[in-house]
Amino acid sequence: MRSTRTAVLVLLVPLVPFAVMLALGLWGLDRGTMWRDESATFQVARRSLPEIADLITSVDAVHGLYYVLMHFVLAPFPSEVALRLPSVLGAAGTAALVAATGARLARPRVGLWAGLAYAVTPFVGHYAQEGRSYALVACAAALATLLLPYAAERGGTRRWAAYAAVAACAALLHMFALLLLAAHAATLLLSRVERRVWRGWAAAAGAVCVVLAPLVVMSRGQSGQVGWLAKPDAVAAGQLVLAFTGPRTLVTVTLALTALALLRPLPGKAPGRLPLAAVALPLVLVPPVLLLAVSQWEPLYFDRYVLFSLAGVPLLAAAGAERLVHDTVGALRAAGMLGRGSAAECAGRSAAEPVAAPRPRPRRWPRSPGLSRSVTALVGAVAVAVAFWWQLSDHERLRLTISRADDFAAIARTADRAMGPGEPVLYLPGFSRRTALGYPRRFEDARDVALREPAARSGTLYGTEFDGAELRRRLACLDRVWVLITSQATRGAWQPDDPSDRAKLAVLREEFTRRETHRSGDALLALYVRMTPAPGPGPRPYAG
């Protein structure tokens, strides 16, 4: 009977958070548009494998494995839903793995609460519905974190090899997941493990570093991909805390439960087991702190790069909730309001702890110890549901078009309506071409004046353009040209760094004037016509 109940718990504890996260991830998955990062995934993943390899070696190695994976995902049915579905499954898998980790390191209901709390966090929901690698990275990191206690406690080459393989997979999906190794080293240090454990972990970590070395070297030459990042300040750190712990008053609740878990840790399940706090706390702190510190010299930090660290927060909060239940039941028992046997069961007392003989007094708790545990687990799940309701407006906003920086579908529809077949078009800056690459059917009849070599053939994200002299020659033959102006080019006195963009801007100022403008968000589709009489200074293409 006990073995059957244990088997049911082993299945239910991860399955319930998985189902909840899956439902939340599928809710409103099709927003009807992609934004710039998703557009990059969509157009790169639809290239051939040799073309993807060419891109990886020249521009975007850090996302190479993800692009290859998405190539096979999008091959049978290229759509925005298919683009985001792996992230939904990755987030659901992470919720299940967080639950399994909590059950392994503490008790089944701690795992259940932690998995559910992870699933209802808006920051998780945001990247569960985004066609990028971060949810999959978090899933691989959560699996490596679950494998660490098994390898550390039981040893064995196979267990350490499995840990190394999963950790390497996480880092290959995104290089900054390598910081997970530092968190796990801190876990072993806090747990005071034996030397044999350190030897096993060092071998596994060394293997991961060897696998990642070519990617690290390659990505160093592609640092321009993160050149837009700024040095993070205290505001950025505060925003990360809010993203991890939840908005409004939930921050206080989460931090209070976390403090309780750290100050009054749960009794260990058995000698030699890694403590939950020793696993979860370094996971939460070490990767973000290291990345924030390094970014003071070389800006590399962005909150999504450490999404995988969030898994430690619900584990600590759930452990704090369990300690609160444990202490509350103990106080009630001391006051004579609960029977000792049922109280011990309700508090989740492990078999290793001594239990005093129950006194012959009437029970004031449900008669079945199993029912006591189930009721307590259900109360915790209801508390998580209340937290979700408290954040419902945030979840609803994440499913709106305005939750992302761009609405490429709206821009593409505007271009499709405004431009006639074969009309010339300029993209200013050149990377504004990503709209056309994401929605090629809307631009298939347009003539790209500046494009020298297409993106896939050139091994770049957005293609290569003619130099300034050739651009001037090509524009000299035109009496009208459509210009798609996006991002920073629509704001302020923008001065481009790229020579091709400087040439476009100069010719438009000197020889053209704007006749027609269509605005979509912060993007403009403007019709420029040649000035008559003689060319003179004209309005900037981003003005108005």
Side-chain angles (χ1 to χ4, degrees), residues 422-485:
E423 288 204 88
V425 60
L426 281 177
Y427 298 95
L428 188 65
F431 59 71
S432 300
R433 189 176 286 106
R434 58 196 174 194
T435 305
L437 292 171
Y439 293 91
R441 290 184 181 179
R442 302 283 186 174
F443 292 85
E444 60 185 356
D445 293 329
R447 180 159 52 97
D448 194 336
V449 178
L451 184 64
R452 182 179 65 184
E453 193 173 15
R457 193 187 307 163
S458 63
T460 62
L461 284 172
Y462 309 117
T464 58
E465 297 189 332
F466 294 108
D467 58 23
E470 178 62 18
L471 267 174
R472 284 183 175 273
R473 189 189 68 78
R474 294 169 72 87
L475 288 171
C477 304
L478 301 177
D479 291 326
R480 53 185 274 150
V481 60
W482 288 94
V483 185
L484 180 58
I485 313 164

Side-chain angles (χ1 to χ4, degrees), residues 351-446:
E353 295 181 78
V355 180
R359 297 177 181 176
R361 63 177 65 195
R363 292 179 180 268
R364 293 184 176 87
W365 199 261
R367 291 187 176 184
S368 167
L371 180 60
S372 301
R373 291 192 295 269
S374 300
V375 168
T376 309
L378 181 59
V379 170
V382 170
V384 175
V386 171
F388 170 72
W389 173 81
W390 192 264
Q391 303 172 92
L392 183 59
S393 60
D394 297 294
H395 284 279
E396 290 173 337
R397 182 182 57 81
L398 292 175
R399 286 151 179 83
L400 300 176
T401 301
I402 59 172
S403 65
R404 292 343 190 245
D406 311 290
D407 186 353
F408 279 5
I411 302 171
R413 287 192 298 269
T414 300
D416 191 34
R417 289 193 302 265
M419 295 191 303
E423 288 204 88
V425 60
L426 281 177
Y427 298 95
L428 188 65
F431 59 71
S432 300
R433 189 176 286 106
R434 58 196 174 194
T435 305
L437 292 171
Y439 293 91
R441 290 184 181 179
R442 302 283 186 174
F443 292 85
E444 60 185 356
D445 293 329

